[in-house]
């Protein structure tokens, strides 16, 4: 009885003095102490009760857990004073700064991203309980890349006002090298045959210092899968990796890898069957399957089959399909029957398509290129084609897209296209003075995304001592909603080549006119364009170049033989364009072919035609397209049709082809091609006239002489080819890889004149001139190939595309002037 009374007394004392009484009571007041950064209201909102509520010890305990869960406090104590509940809180310190020291293998951006995922962010409270977790996680990363001596320490420096600085110190140490990789259990294939297929290198000799035998856990795991695939692709269906061991040396500088395998035997496929819903495409899906009865099991073909069927289903809107191959294995006969299970799932529809990242370009410009429509089913092909078409625009640098499921709907997604724009035009303006050109003024704007509309427009005005020109052009690529384009141009130029220090033969020319064009899309990759031009040409001060004789003959005004030449042409133009390029500027994959024909109508003063063909193909050499190969071909031919007064029409010299400069780098611009030939008529003294002087009489034409000009007059045929290796640009960050391009190139080609008659000059003597005169070549010979090699740098600058080339001539002929370094504006390849 005495013991019971003593226990009862102790319980009563405990109940009267306990911080947290077991019996319930009504809360009359709540007090919170220790708050600095956290607002009182925010703290009270985390409590599971309010003033006036009846609480128990369990309620108060639950309130402590709730406050901890809010993540603002390091220490929480709760007291009761009568019916008042008192919370004494110690806030977590706020992170003032985060520093990294000694990290080389992990970039600061990666570290910051990782810490953010663990809620260690400047301005946020620090949870000291996860410091050790962060240290262990980073240490484990270093172990995964072979740095077993690495240590990571997070130091916390306390500052006034409950703030802290965090400094994470790294001692990375050296990576362990893979010294040996052993494979145990293999009999069919040798160790070396298997190891030739893996990425990890081991026990490298000193002279292979450019290679690395550094141990990396992820790389090694990938190598195990490559060995597994090597067996599965050759019929060894029961192949298995039983175990793998990675042993580290005592000094933690070497790693030894052992792989235990069971090879099994080869299995033959007895047949392929299908189960599930083939969405009515049974014949087409079955035709996709490369697996046949009687052939060895092939893991790569099985994977290819599953991916091909999934891609086909995605074309019809079944974006979440599940395709898997179920093998039925007969170990006695070493045969396997394959059953392909196809579950298309629900057809997925696109609710909304959003466009982001376009600052200049209007949304509608991108949307008219899209082949994935809102409200239609989701098609991977349509998504990718839309991306390609948008990225093919010359003012778009990069395009990415993502699909997001619509909340609460299992068959709907939103699509977001994110674009990155780039300069799509050029601007030039200036005033200059020079001894040769005098005072010059020029201003010009070429814009392929005029005011963000996707229309191209250009205006150029320039004037100097030898040239005055103005032109205006505009093209709307979507004049109609189905992609019919409409364009027009007006032009005028007045040029005096007699004072121009260029590679062209001298003459004066005025040219003015206007034109219009219209284009029709055939399909996603082909387009037809048609146009017409009205052009008036006036040529004066034409020198006595022998190759101009046909041109003179058909235009000569017998009433004014010393006058100039004026002719009006009505031109019809047609072109075919096929393009599968992945980008508008600096493509890395795909091809483009352009065939253009231009002909003057029979009622024109000159009757001729001109055709050009240009093809270029890009082959990516690496998965990231940083390396790619370009092959390019330019062909051209033109000539006259019909005759006048017994003289055949020919291609006018003003429309001749030229090479050198941009299309045959290493040579001066427009220098490649037939040079002008002057025929000098010899004479004998004539009889004296009344004044006492005498005039010469021409001798027989076979006694004439000739000399060749240093200036080119071009030809009516051209062929130029380019081979180019596009390489990563050194010292350029990934941010600018789509704006700067470096390449190694080889250019080769020739310009010739199919109407040139070498027999006219055989037997004639060469006229002696006081200046340099090139040797006469057979300008009708297409085999006079020139070749150069060099390096090129192209930059899409804010002022337009700039190209720098440094080239060395491999093959040249007399009269070909070289230009080792060249700089051009407005051209990219």
């Amino acid at each position: 009885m005495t013991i019971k009374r003593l226990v009862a007394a102790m319980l009563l004392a405990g109940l009267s003095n306990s911080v947290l009484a077991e019996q319930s009571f009504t809360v009359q007041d709540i007090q919170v102490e220790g708050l600095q950064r956290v607002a009182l209201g925010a703290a009270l909102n985390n409590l599971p009760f309010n003033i006036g509520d009846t609480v128990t010890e369990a309620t108060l305990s639950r309130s402590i857990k709730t406050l901890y869960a809010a993540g603002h406090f390091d220490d929480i104590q709760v007291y009761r004073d009568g019916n008042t509940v008192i919370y004494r809180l110690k806030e977590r310190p706020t992170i003032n700064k985060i520093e990294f020291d000694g990290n080389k293998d992990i970039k600061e951006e990666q570290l910051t991203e990782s810490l953010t995922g663990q809620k260690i962010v400047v301005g946020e409270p620090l949870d000291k309980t996860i410091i050790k977790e962060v240290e262990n996680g980073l240490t484990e990363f270093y172990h995964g890349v072979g740095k077993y001596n690495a240590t990571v320490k997070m130091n916390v420096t306390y500052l006034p006002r409950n703030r802290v600085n965090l400094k994470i110190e790294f001692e990375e140490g050296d990576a362990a090298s893979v010294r040996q990789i052993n494979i145990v259990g293999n009999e069919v294939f040798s160790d070396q045959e298997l190891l030739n297929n893996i990425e990890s290198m081991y026990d490298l000799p000193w002279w292979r210092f450019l290679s690395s035998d550094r141990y990396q856990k992820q790389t090694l795991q990938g190598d195990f899968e490559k060995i597994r695939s090597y067996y599965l692709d050759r019929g060894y269906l029961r192949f298995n990796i039983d175990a793998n061991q990675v042993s580290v040396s005592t000094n933690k500088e070497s790693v030894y890898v052992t792989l235990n395998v069971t090879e099994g035997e080869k299995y033959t496929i007895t047949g392929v069957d299908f189960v599930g819903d083939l969405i009515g495409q049974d014949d087409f899906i079955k035709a996709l399957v490369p697996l046949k009865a009687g052939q060895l099991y092939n893991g790569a073909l099985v994977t290819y089959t599953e991916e091909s069927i999934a891609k086909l289903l995605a074309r019809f809107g079944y974006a979440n399909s599940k395709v898997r191959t179920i093998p039925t294995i007969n170990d006695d006969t070493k045969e396997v029957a394959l059953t392909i299970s196809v579950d298309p799932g629900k057809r997925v529809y696109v609710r909304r398509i959003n466009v982001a990242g376009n600052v200049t370009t209007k949304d509608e410009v991108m949307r008219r290129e899209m082949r994935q429509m809102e409200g239609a089913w989701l098609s991977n092909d349509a998504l990718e084609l839309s991306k390609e078409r948008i990225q093919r625009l010359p003012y778009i640098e990069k395009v990415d897209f993502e699909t997001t499921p619509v909340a609460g709907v299992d068959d709907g997604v939103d699509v977001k296209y994110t674009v990155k724009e780039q300069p799509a035009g050029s601007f030039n303006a200036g005033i200059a003075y020079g001894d040769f050109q005098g005072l010059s003024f020029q201003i010009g704007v070429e814009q392929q995304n005029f005011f963000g509309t996707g229309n191209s427009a250009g205006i150029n005005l320039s004037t100097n001592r030898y040239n005055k020109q103005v032109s205006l052009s505009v093209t709307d690529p979507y004049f109609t909603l189905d992609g019919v384009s409409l364009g027009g141009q007006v032009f005028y130029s007045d040029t005096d080549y007699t004072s121009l220090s260029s590679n062209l033969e001298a003459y004066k020319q005025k040219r003015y006119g206007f034109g219009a064009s219209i284009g029709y899309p055939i399909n996603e990759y082909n387009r037809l364009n048609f146009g017409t031009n009205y052009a008036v040409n006036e040529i004066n001060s034409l020198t006595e170049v022998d190759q101009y004789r046909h041109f003179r003959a058909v235009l000569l005004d017998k009433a004014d033989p010393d006058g100039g030449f004026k002719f009006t042409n009505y031109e019809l133009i047609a072109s075919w364009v096929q393009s599968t390029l992945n980008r508008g500027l600096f493509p890395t994959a795909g091809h483009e072919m352009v065939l253009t024909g231009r002909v003057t109508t029979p009622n024109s003063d000159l009757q001729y035609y001109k055709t050009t063909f240009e093809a270029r193909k890009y082959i990516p050499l690496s998965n990231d397209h940083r390396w790619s190969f370009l092959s390019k071909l330019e062909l051209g031919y033109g000539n006259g049709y019909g005759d006048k007064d017994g003289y055949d029409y020919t291609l006018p010299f003003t429309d001749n082809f030229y090479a050198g400069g941009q299309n045959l780098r290493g040579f001066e611009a427009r220098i490649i091609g037939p040079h002008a030939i002057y025929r000098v008529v010899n004479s004998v003294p004539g009889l004296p006239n009344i004044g006492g002087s005498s005039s010469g009489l021409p001798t027989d034409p076979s006694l004439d002489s000739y000399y060749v000009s240093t200036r080119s007059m071009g030809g009516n045929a051209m062929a130029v080819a380019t081979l180019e290796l596009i390489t990563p640009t050194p010292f350029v960050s990934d941010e600018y890889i789509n704006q700067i391009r470096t390449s190694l190139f080889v250019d080769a080609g020739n310009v010739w004149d199919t109407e040139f008659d070498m027999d006219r000059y055989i037997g004639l003597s060469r006229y002696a001139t006081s200046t340099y005169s090139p040797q006469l070549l057979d300008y009708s010979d297409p085999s006079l190939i020139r070749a150069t090699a060099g390096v090129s740098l192209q930059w899409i600058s804010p002022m337009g595309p700039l190209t720098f080339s440094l080239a060395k001539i491999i093959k040249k002929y007399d009269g070909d002037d070289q230009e080792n370094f060249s700089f051009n504006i407005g051209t990219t390849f």
Side-chain angles (χ1 to χ4, degrees):
M1 190 69 177
T2 305
I3 295 176
K4 290 182 179 179
R5 290 178 179 176
L6 179 61
V7 171
M10 292 176 63
L11 288 175
L12 289 173
L15 289 173
S16 62
N17 297 309
S18 175
V19 176
L20 299 175
E22 292 181 357
Q23 75 274 17
S24 61
F25 66 94
T26 301
V27 178
Q28 294 181 352
D29 190 19
I30 300 174
Q31 297 180 7
V32 180
E33 301 175 357
L35 294 179
Q36 296 180 20
R37 178 180 56 85
V38 181
L40 177 61
L44 294 177
N45 285 336
N46 290 302
L47 297 179
F49 60 86
N50 295 310
I51 295 175
D53 293 346
T54 300
V55 300
T56 64
E57 177 184 353
T59 306
L60 297 178
S61 297
R62 190 166 66 252
S63 71
I64 295 176
K65 296 179 181 179
T66 304
L67 286 172
Y68 266 123
H72 299 299
F73 308 107
D74 265 343
D75 185 53
I76 301 173
Q77 296 180 6
V78 59
Y79 298 89
R80 175 186 172 188
D81 184 5
N83 290 335
T84 299
V85 179
I86 303 171
Y87 287 92
R88 292 178 181 172
L89 308 176
K90 181 180 180 182
E91 291 184 353
R92 289 178 176 174
T94 303
I95 300 175
N96 178 64
K97 184 169 63 174
I98 302 175
E99 294 180 299
F100 308 104
D101 182 38
N103 56 301
K104 296 179 181 179
D105 273 17
I106 312 179
K107 296 181 179 180
E108 290 193 5
E109 294 81 3
Q110 295 174 298
L111 288 169
T112 301
E113 182 179 352
S114 176
L115 294 177
T116 300
Q118 295 174 296
K119 298 182 180 180
I120 299 181
V121 183
V122 172
E124 295 296 322
L126 172 65
D127 182 1
K128 291 184 291 185
T129 62
I130 66 171
I131 289 179
K132 195 63 179 177
E133 180 182 341
V134 172
E135 294 175 341
N136 292 338
L138 292 174
T139 302
E140 182 64 25
F141 167 81
Y142 281 107
H143 289 178
V145 296
K147 293 195 171 185
Y148 290 99
N149 289 315
T151 59
V152 180
K153 179 67 175 177
M154 182 182 291
N155 296 315
V156 181
T157 303
Y158 291 89
L159 304 174
R161 302 192 304 278
N162 200 26
R163 296 174 302 136
V164 293
N165 286 345
L166 298 181
K167 185 175 183 180
I168 306 179
E169 296 181 344
F170 300 82
E171 291 185 8
E172 295 183 338
D174 295 327
S177 299
V178 180
R179 290 302 179 194
Q180 194 172 16
I181 300 179
N182 297 314
I183 302 178
V184 179
N186 56 309
E187 296 178 358
V188 179
F189 303 110
S190 66
D191 287 9
Q192 193 58 48
E193 188 174 357
L194 296 175
L195 296 177
N196 284 340
N197 296 283
I198 69 173
E199 186 176 344
S200 297
M201 298 183 181
Y202 60 96
D203 199 24
L204 293 176
W206 65 268
W207 58 83
R208 294 188 61 181
F209 57 89
L210 294 178
S211 302
S212 175
D213 55 6
R214 173 177 175 174
Y215 168 75
Q216 296 192 56
K217 182 178 180 180
Q218 290 183 343
T219 302
L220 192 62
Q221 292 296 329
D223 291 337
F224 293 164
E225 291 304 314
K226 289 180 181 179
I227 293 175
R228 183 190 304 276
S229 298
Y230 190 82
Y231 275 93
L232 293 179
D233 295 348
R234 287 156 180 79
Y236 294 91
L237 184 57
R238 289 297 193 186
F239 172 82
N240 186 53
I241 297 178
D242 301 321
N244 64 85
Q245 302 90 31
V246 178
S247 303
V248 183
S249 63
T250 54
N251 60 6
K252 298 183 179 181
E253 295 179 356
S254 301
V255 169
Y256 300 84
V257 180
T258 302
L259 193 66
N260 298 89
V261 304
T262 298
E263 292 179 321
E265 298 186 34
K266 293 182 179 180
Y267 282 73
T268 303
I269 298 174
T270 59
V272 181
D273 199 5
F274 290 86
V275 295
D277 183 4
L278 303 186
I279 65 169
Q281 301 293 327
D282 302 47
D283 294 338
F284 193 71
I285 289 178
K286 291 177 181 179
L288 285 175
V289 179
L291 301 167
K292 306 297 180 184
Q295 71 183 56
L296 288 176
Y297 178 86
N298 188 308
L301 290 182
V302 170
T303 302
Y304 170 81
T305 300
E306 294 173 347
E307 292 176 350
S308 298
I309 295 174
K311 287 181 180 179
L312 176 65
L313 296 174
R315 292 179 57 185
F316 293 91
Y318 298 95
N320 300 319
S321 64
K322 297 178 181 179
V323 182
R324 60 190 183 96
T325 302
I326 305 170
T328 303
I329 302 174
N330 188 327
D331 290 320
D332 294 333
T333 62
K334 307 305 178 195
E335 294 177 330
V336 57
L338 301 179
T339 302
I340 301 177
S341 172
V342 180
D343 178 12
K346 283 190 174 182
R347 177 172 277 175
V348 179
Y349 292 85
V350 176
R351 182 186 69 168
R352 183 179 297 113
I353 299 177
N354 300 310
V355 180
N358 52 317
V359 178
T360 302
T361 310
K362 297 180 179 179
D363 271 20
E364 65 185 58
V365 176
M366 261 82 72
R367 292 185 181 276
R368 66 192 186 191
E369 302 292 340
M370 293 181 184
R371 295 304 179 259
Q372 174 66 67
M373 298 291 106
E374 293 180 341
W377 68 58
L378 178 68
S379 169
N380 285 349
D381 285 356
L383 290 174
E384 289 291 346
L385 182 58
S386 301
K387 174 183 174 179
E388 287 181 11
R389 290 185 61 88
I390 296 173
Q391 198 164 258
R392 211 175 290 157
L393 298 173
Y395 37 88
I396 299 298
E397 178 182 331
K398 184 180 179 182
V399 181
D400 291 308
F401 69 84
E402 60 180 345
T403 58
T404 304
V406 178
V409 179
D410 59 357
D411 62 350
V413 296
D414 290 336
V415 179
K416 180 180 179 181
Y417 281 91
T418 303
V419 303
K420 182 179 180 182
E421 297 174 310
Q422 66 184 1
S426 59
F427 172 80
N428 59 80
I431 299 176
Y433 180 83
D435 292 336
F436 163 68
Q437 65 183 11
L439 182 65
S440 67
F441 166 77
Q442 65 176 5
I443 183 171
V445 178
E446 297 286 343
Q447 179 58 253
Q448 293 179 304
N449 188 20
F450 191 66
F451 289 119
T453 62
N455 299 338
S456 62
I459 180 171
N460 282 280
L461 173 65
S462 67
T463 178
N464 54 39
R465 177 182 294 172
Y466 58 83
N467 178 267
K468 301 178 181 65
Q469 65 177 6
V470 61
S471 64
L472 174 64
S473 62
V474 62
T475 300
D476 183 353
Y478 275 85
F479 181 69
T480 65
L481 292 178
D482 53 1
V484 175
S485 63
L486 184 65
Q489 61 172 335
V490 179
F491 54 88
Y492 172 84
S493 65
D494 185 357
T495 306
D496 183 2
Y497 286 116
T498 60
S499 62
L500 176 61
S501 177
S502 76
N503 296 315
L504 300 177
E505 196 56 37
Y507 60 90
K508 294 180 180 180
Q509 179 185 23
K510 285 185 180 180
R511 187 173 187 271
Y512 52 89
F514 56 87
S517 62
I518 190 170
Y520 299 90
I522 301 175
N523 53 38
E524 298 295 347
Y525 304 104
N526 293 273
R527 187 177 188 87
L528 291 177
N529 299 300
F530 302 95
T532 181
N533 281 337
Y534 169 81
V536 179
N537 293 267
E538 298 179 12
I539 297 179
N540 294 285
S541 303
L542 189 63
T543 53
E544 297 291 332
V545 176
D546 194 47
Q547 294 102 314
Y548 292 168
R549 62 188 184 279
H550 280 265
F551 178 80
R552 295 173 181 276
V554 297
L555 290 178
L556 182 66
D557 184 357
K558 296 180 179 179
D560 185 15
D562 296 326
F565 303 92
K566 182 176 181 179
F567 53 96
T568 301
N569 291 331
Y570 305 91
E571 300 173 346
L572 300 178
I573 306 169
S575 68
W576 163 67
V577 180
Q578 182 184 87
S579 178
T580 63
L581 299 178
N582 63 337
R583 300 184 68 243
L585 289 178
F586 289 172
T588 55
H591 72 270
E592 181 182 62
M593 293 187 290
V594 181
L595 176 64
T596 302
R598 178 162 58 94
V599 61
T600 60
T601 60
N603 61 327
S604 300
D605 290 335
L606 292 178
Q607 298 176 14
Y608 64 92
Y609 61 90
K610 185 176 182 180
T611 59
T612 59
F613 175 75
E614 181 177 337
R616 52 179 176 151
K617 182 176 180 61
Y618 294 85
I619 302 175
L621 303 179
S622 61
N623 292 333
D624 60 2
H625 289 209
R626 298 287 296 273
W627 294 80
S628 59
F629 180 77
L630 163 65
S631 58
K632 184 179 178 182
L633 177 65
E634 292 181 75
L635 302 175
Y637 178 76
N639 215 329
Y641 70 91
D643 62 84
K644 179 181 179 181
D645 299 333
Y647 289 95
D648 292 335
Y649 284 107
T650 60
L651 182 72
F653 67 92
T654 55
D655 278 273
N656 276 348
F657 296 101
Y658 298 88
Q662 295 184 14
N663 62 349
L664 200 55
R665 290 159 286 188
F667 292 98
E668 285 194 4
R670 302 165 70 94
I671 193 62
I672 304 301
H675 285 240
I677 301 175
Y678 291 88
R679 188 158 179 158
V680 181
V681 179
N682 292 325
S683 61
V684 298
L687 296 175
N689 56 23
I690 297 176
S693 62
S694 63
S695 59
L697 299 176
T699 61
D700 187 274
S702 63
L703 301 177
D704 290 352
S705 57
Y706 72 89
Y707 71 90
V708 181
S709 172
T710 57
R711 293 182 172 184
S712 172
M713 58 166 291
N716 70 330
M718 176 190 68
V720 176
T722 294
L723 299 178
E724 198 154 351
L725 177 64
I726 299 169
T727 67
T729 304
F731 313 114
V732 173
S733 65
D734 292 344
E735 182 181 357
Y736 300 103
I737 59 175
N738 291 326
Q739 301 176 25
I740 299 177
R741 167 170 287 183
T742 307
S743 61
L744 305 174
F745 66 83
V746 175
D747 293 340
N750 185 26
V751 173
W752 66 97
D753 184 359
T754 61
E755 300 298 316
F756 181 77
D757 185 7
M758 187 66 175
D759 293 337
R760 284 179 54 85
Y761 310 101
I762 295 178
L764 301 184
S765 61
R766 187 176 180 185
Y767 185 78
T769 63
S770 58
T771 58
Y772 165 71
S773 176
Q775 294 289 332
L776 176 63
L777 302 174
D778 185 357
Y779 297 127
S780 66
D781 185 0
S783 66
L784 301 178
I785 303 297
R786 284 78 165 175
T788 64
V791 59
S792 175
L793 175 66
Q794 300 178 67
W795 173 35
I796 303 178
S797 73
M799 299 297 291
L802 307 178
T803 303
F804 306 86
S805 298
L806 183 63
K808 179 177 177 58
I809 294 177
I810 300 174
K811 179 67 175 177
K812 62 176 293 188
Y813 289 89
D814 192 32
D816 298 340
D817 294 331
Q818 68 182 32
E819 186 179 61
N820 299 107
F821 177 78
S822 62
F823 165 71
N824 296 298
I825 301 177
T827 301
T828 61
F829 297 97

